[in-house]
Every structure is written in structure tokens, then in C-alpha cells.
Amino acid sequence: QVQLVESGGGLVQPGGSLRLSCVTSGFTLDTYVIGWFRQAPGKEREGVACSNSNADNTYYQDSVKGRFTISIDKAKNSVYLQMNNLRPEDTAVYYCGAAQRRFGIAYYCTYGMDNWGSGTLVHVSA
């Protein structure tokens, strides 16, 4: 059974940084695409950053390029999202998602994953 557990959200000032963590279990990262999505109040969930298991094939939403970095520690079965220079518009519930890889990385960041965590709230405000 695929399980994804996020942590690391919180309140941060504009320009600040946060690191989100996602501990995975129930599947082998090598055959999956893993990614971070977010959902702001009143908006649909959107892909932020997605990656293959080696993090050498990644996709980022344009609004986070240069600010966010997805990384994977296979020894710890964990996926991270380092978020720098945060903006108020980054405020959202952030979800970790995973899916068995059949298509390109961008496909999953665009259309979503098969498995989801319960989310962690990131609030960027002065």
C-alpha cells in the first residue's frame, strides 16, 4: 500500500525559506514518478515540481523555477522540496504525489498522480 506523509510546512515571511519532506512507503521509488503539488484556497491543485527517482529528470512549474528544488534520498525513502525566496502567492497546502512511471515527467505534473499524501500547509505572510 502506497503511503506518503508530508511534513515541514508552516508560517514564513516573504523572502524566507522552507524545506518540505515526504516519507514514502509501500513502493519502490525506482519505478515511480514523485512530485510536489499545491492547492491554494479556491483554486485547483497544480503541479509544482516532479522528478524521476534519481532526480536527474525534473519538471518545474514556471513560477517556481530558480526558487524551488526537488530532491530524493532513496536510502531514506524520502522526497524533499526546498523552497527559497517564498512569496505570498506560494501560500497553499502542499501535497506529495506518486505514480508508476508510464509517461514523461511533465505529464504527471500536468495531470496529477495516482497516490497522494494528506498535505502540509505553507503560509507566506508578513
Side-chain angles (χ1 to χ4, degrees), residues 74-91:
K74 287 197 273 187
K76 295 183 178 179
N77 291 319
S78 295
V79 185
Y80 306 98
L81 185 68
Q82 178 66 43
M83 306 186 294
N84 298 328
N85 192 19
L86 282 160
R87 305 167 180 168
E89 54 265 39
D90 295 318
T91 294

Side-chain angles (χ1 to χ4, degrees), residues 33-37 49-51 96-99 108-109 111-116:
V33 175
I34 194 101
W36 288 94
F37 294 71
C50 296
S51 175
C96 181
Y108 295 96
C109 248
Y111 297 108
M113 303 285 193
D114 299 323
N115 304 280
W116 300 99

Side-chain angles (χ1 to χ4, degrees), residues 21-72:
S21 299
C22 172
V23 178
T24 73
S25 61
F27 66 102
T28 302
L29 278 168
D30 283 341
T31 60
Y32 274 67
V33 175
I34 194 101
W36 288 94
F37 294 71
R38 67 186 180 189
Q39 187 168 19
K43 295 187 177 181
E44 294 187 354
R45 185 155 53 188
E46 59 180 6
V48 174
C50 296
S51 175
N52 66 348
S53 62
N54 295 322
D56 57 5
N57 185 354
T58 58
Y59 174 90
Y60 291 93
Q61 184 191 102
D62 285 346
S63 68
V64 307
K65 285 181 181 177
R67 301 189 297 125
F68 291 11
T69 303
I70 186 170
S71 62
I72 297 175

